[in-house]
């Protein structure tokens, strides 16, 4: 049944007296007697549908709690990388499914998928659980296997060192379902120590999620003959079709793509997907030009209704900021889209509201709640033009666009500034690794090295 069904996934509310868990008799994994599992399907406001499960055995007292996502598998897997440097990083809340894996390179620690149930915990809780598991039966181990116990004690000391923040360390949370999160302590600003990225699932991960048959194998992509165009203008008149899998039902479908020109800007690519099996639809707009020689910073003063109606092309790498309310949204936080200023602000507000509402539960301080509520109210005032503001789009690729109301003349409320990218920005875009001159020499050098290695091997033989 659908995850948004009101009959099964009821909204989590203290006033809902009819919401009662389902009680199922099940075997205890500890003593193999019968215990009770309580299952409750609920929908957390501003978050998603979840399944809460609690087991208790009246015979041996064994207890176990677990949370599972009631949502569908997301279109892409999610990778969250957190650099733990401060005490508040340890207190960040962490949500993961049972398919998530956790890695801490500094400790050479890897928690594989399905080795732990899905849960809502903290970054500190991850270390605490590992420390508690390794410390179990350590006294007996010192008597039976002193050498092994000494090695575990040394490893526990390394965990404690990271726990006490005597050194900085990295936590990598990877979830092929896409249902994992690490809390941003300040949703108004870019998280300086956390990076979120999305990836296409491998065949093994699809098998893990039952999205592919266990007997499926990687098939070499069949090369289809490319359409022949006499010129670039001919290509703009054609709608290209590409085979793909539907992100909703995972059945075969196709993506339609067509390049088009935006006046006084550049070429963009419009992509559309419509699945005939499940009816899923999606639309997306990407910049069709190359990375510009310089980055671009666009500033728009919001004073009238026409300013909110300006067309905007925001790329994935474009960051957004509003100095009047101290808002900073980094690149990749909002996906690339072609919308209006009002649509962009509304999408930003909805994302900030969704991220903050789940982590601002009963345990959050009242000051934090009021600060977030005040911030969202200011954002509403900007959208309603009750609060004058300036929206700044900073795109290191230079491929974002804001419509000018007086083009080709200068727009008094639109400012465009070009700047030279930093080394770090070029590195993020992969420009530093590009070799655009004499790149043929790399292949020749590789072939010469292979010939020398063969000659050396023959001489040794």
């Amino acid at each position: 049944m659908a995850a948004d069904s009101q009959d099964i996934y009821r909204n989590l509310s203290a006033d809902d007296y009819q919401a009662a868990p389902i009680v199922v008799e099940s075997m205890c994994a500890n003593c193999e007697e019968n215990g009770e599992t309580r299952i409750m399907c609920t929908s957390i406001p501003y978050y998603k549908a979840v399944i809460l499960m609690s087991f208790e055995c009246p015979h041996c007292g064994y207890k176990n709690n677990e949370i599972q996502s009631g949502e569908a598998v997301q279109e892409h897997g999610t990778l969250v990388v957190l650099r733990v440097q401060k005490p508040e990083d340890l207190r960040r809340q962490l949500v993961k499914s049972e398919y998530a894996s956790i890695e801490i390179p500094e400790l050479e620690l890897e928690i594989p998928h399905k080795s732990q149930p899905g849960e809502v915990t903290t970054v500190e809780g991850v270390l605490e659980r590992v420390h508690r598991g390794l410390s179990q039966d350590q006294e007996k181990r010192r008597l039976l296997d002193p050498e092994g116990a000494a090695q575990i004690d040394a490893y526990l000391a390394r965990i404690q060192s990271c726990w006490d923040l005597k050194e900085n360390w990295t936590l990598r949370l990877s979830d092929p379902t896409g249902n994992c999160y690490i809390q941003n302590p300040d949703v108004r600003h870019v998280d300086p120590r956390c990076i979120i990225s999305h990836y296409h699932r491998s065949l093994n991960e699809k098998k893990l999620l039952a999205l592919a048959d266990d007997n499926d194998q990687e098939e070499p992509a069949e090369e289809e003959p490319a359409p022949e165009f006499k010129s670039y203008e001919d290509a703009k008149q054609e709608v290209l079709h590409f085979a793909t899998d539907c992100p909703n039902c995972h059945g075969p479908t196709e993506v339609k793509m067509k390049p088009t020109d935006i006046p006084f800007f550049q070429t963009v690519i419009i992509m559309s997907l419509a699945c005939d099996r499940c009816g899923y639809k999606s639309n997306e707009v990407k910049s069709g030009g190359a990375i510009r020689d310089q980055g671009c910073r666009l500033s728009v003063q919001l004073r009238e209704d026409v300013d909110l109606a300006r067309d905007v092309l925001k790329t994935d790498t474009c960051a957004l900021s509003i100095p009047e309310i101290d808002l900073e949204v980094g690149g990749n936080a909002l996906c690339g889209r072609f919308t209006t200023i009002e649509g962009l602000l509304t999408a930003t507000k909805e994302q900030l509201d969704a991220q903050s509402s789940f982590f601002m539960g009963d345990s959050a301080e009242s000051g934090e709640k009021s600060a977030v509520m005040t911030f969202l109210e200011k954002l509403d005032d900007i959208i309603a033009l009750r609060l004058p503001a300036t929206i700044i789009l900073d795109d290191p690729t230079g491929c974002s666009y804001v419509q000018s109301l007086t083009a080709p003349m200068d727009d008094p409320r639109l400012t465009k500034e070009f700047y030279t990218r930093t080394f770090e920005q070029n590195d993020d875009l992969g420009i530093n690794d590009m070799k655009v001159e004499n790149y043929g020499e790399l292949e020749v050098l590789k072939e010469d090295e292979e010939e020398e290695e063969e000659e050396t091997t023959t001489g040794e033989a």
Side-chain angles (χ1 to χ4, degrees):
M1 189 171 290
D4 58 354
S5 172
Q6 295 298 322
D7 296 332
I8 292 185
Y9 294 94
R10 305 172 67 94
N11 288 332
L12 188 63
S13 173
D15 300 327
D16 189 358
Y17 299 102
Q18 298 180 354
I22 302 171
V23 180
V24 179
E25 185 176 347
S26 53
M27 187 186 73
C28 175
N30 187 42
C31 68
E32 299 186 356
E33 295 287 342
N34 286 338
E36 285 187 349
T37 298
R38 298 178 181 271
I39 304 173
M40 185 173 182
C41 303
T42 184
S43 178
I44 299 177
Y46 305 107
Y47 182 52
K48 58 175 58 179
V50 296
I51 302 173
L52 305 175
M53 292 180 288
S54 175
F55 174 83
E56 183 174 0
C57 178
H59 302 283
C60 66
Y62 176 75
K63 296 180 180 181
N64 183 40
N65 300 307
E66 186 176 343
I67 180 174
Q68 290 187 2
S69 173
E71 294 288 335
V73 174
Q74 304 300 313
E75 182 177 356
H76 301 291
T78 300
L79 173 64
V80 185
V81 180
L82 173 67
R83 187 65 176 167
V84 182
Q85 300 176 345
K86 299 181 178 180
E88 51 264 33
D89 294 329
L90 294 173
R91 296 191 293 268
R92 292 178 187 241
Q93 296 191 46
L94 182 149
V95 183
K96 74 179 189 69
S97 73
E98 61 179 311
Y99 299 99
S101 62
I102 296 178
E103 181 183 357
I104 302 178
E106 290 79 1
L107 294 175
E108 301 178 52
L109 171 65
E110 182 175 357
I111 304 174
H113 57 79
K114 302 202 75 171
S115 61
Q116 294 180 353
E119 61 180 345
V120 179
T121 181
T122 61
V123 173
E124 183 179 17
V126 174
L127 289 180
E128 191 272 337
R129 184 167 186 166
V130 175
H131 193 282
R132 184 176 67 249
L134 292 176
S135 301
Q136 187 176 5
D137 296 331
Q138 186 69 345
E139 294 298 330
K140 295 181 180 179
R141 199 177 291 115
R142 290 190 180 96
L143 298 175
L144 301 176
D145 184 11
E147 183 178 353
Q151 294 177 351
I152 293 178
D153 285 335
Y155 191 77
L156 290 173
R158 293 175 60 189
I159 295 178
Q160 190 65 45
S161 177
C162 291
W163 201 338
D164 296 336
L165 292 179
K166 294 180 180 179
E167 58 177 299
N168 299 333
W169 52 281
T170 305
L171 184 144
R172 295 169 56 90
L173 174 62
S174 179
D175 194 336
T177 68
N179 295 318
C180 69
Y181 304 90
I182 292 182
Q183 178 189 12
N184 179 3
D186 188 356
V187 296
R188 298 171 296 175
H189 296 89
V190 179
D191 197 331
R193 297 184 295 278
C194 187
I195 300 174
I196 302 175
S197 58
H198 304 279
Y199 60 89
H200 292 283
R201 283 181 283 268
S202 65
L203 179 60
N204 290 334
E205 289 174 330
K206 291 181 180 179
K207 291 180 180 179
L208 175 68
L209 301 177
L211 300 178
D213 190 87
D214 291 339
N215 298 323
D216 288 350
Q217 297 181 355
E218 292 283 358
E219 297 181 358
E222 297 181 0
E223 295 186 2
E224 298 181 359
E228 296 182 1
F229 301 115
K230 295 181 179 179
S231 65
Y232 179 60
E233 294 301 324
D234 290 341
K236 292 182 179 179
Q237 306 304 320
E238 294 289 336
V239 178
L240 306 179
H241 300 254
F242 298 93
T244 185
D245 293 335
C246 174
N248 185 51
C249 69
H250 307 285
T253 184
E254 65 177 14
V255 175
K256 298 178 181 179
M257 303 175 63
K258 185 182 185 301
T260 187
D261 293 328
I262 296 181
F264 307 106
F265 184 52
Q266 65 178 30
T267 301
V268 297
I269 299 175
I270 302 174
M271 295 180 288
S272 174
L273 182 147
C275 180
D276 296 332
R277 294 192 174 195
C278 65
Y280 175 82
K281 296 180 180 180
S282 69
N283 300 289
E284 194 172 356
V285 178
K286 294 284 189 180
S287 174
I291 296 178
R292 301 290 183 89
D293 294 336
Q294 293 179 308
C296 180
R297 188 176 294 110
L298 300 164
S299 302
V300 184
Q301 300 177 20
L302 305 182
R303 299 293 185 270
E304 302 177 8
D305 291 337
V306 291
D307 294 322
L308 294 174
R310 292 175 186 259
D311 290 333
V312 176
L313 173 64
K314 178 195 173 299
T315 66
D316 294 331
T317 58
C318 181
L320 180 150
S321 63
I322 303 178
E324 287 79 0
I325 59 174
D326 197 22
L327 170 66
E328 295 179 6
V329 180
N332 296 313
L334 281 173
C335 63
R337 62 187 66 199
F338 185 73
T339 180
T340 61
I341 292 288
E342 183 178 8
L344 186 61
L345 291 175
T346 302
T348 302
K349 176 182 177 295
E350 291 175 351
Q351 180 163 322
L352 293 175
D353 193 11
Q355 290 178 351
S356 62
S357 296
F358 174 69
F359 293 111
M360 288 295 172
D362 296 336
S363 61
E365 297 181 2
S366 58
E368 294 179 356
K369 291 183 180 179
S370 61
V372 173
M373 293 302 298
T374 302
F375 174 77
L376 294 177
E377 289 174 359
K378 290 182 179 179
L379 201 51
D380 283 332
D381 291 339
I382 292 176
I383 297 176
L385 294 178
R386 291 190 293 266
L387 177 63
T390 302
I391 180 172
I392 302 174
L393 298 177
D394 191 340
D395 190 354
T397 66
C399 294
S400 291
Y401 161 81
V402 175
Q403 178 188 10
S404 173
L405 302 178
T406 59
M409 305 297 292
D410 292 338
D411 190 327
R413 294 196 293 273
L414 174 62
T415 304
K416 180 179 289 188
E417 176 188 355
F418 294 95
Y419 62 89
T420 302
R421 284 184 292 268
T422 63
F423 179 86
E424 289 76 13
Q425 289 174 323
N426 284 331
D427 196 47
D428 291 339
L429 297 174
I431 297 177
N432 294 337
D433 298 328
M434 294 182 182
K435 183 176 177 60
V436 296
E437 295 180 357
N438 302 323
Y439 50 85
E441 295 179 358
L442 296 176
E443 299 180 359
V444 175
L445 180 60
K446 185 177 180 180
E447 292 176 357
D448 292 342
E449 291 177 351
E450 290 177 352
E451 291 178 358
E452 291 178 359
E453 289 178 358
E454 291 178 357
E455 293 176 357
T456 303
T457 304
T458 305
E460 291 176 353

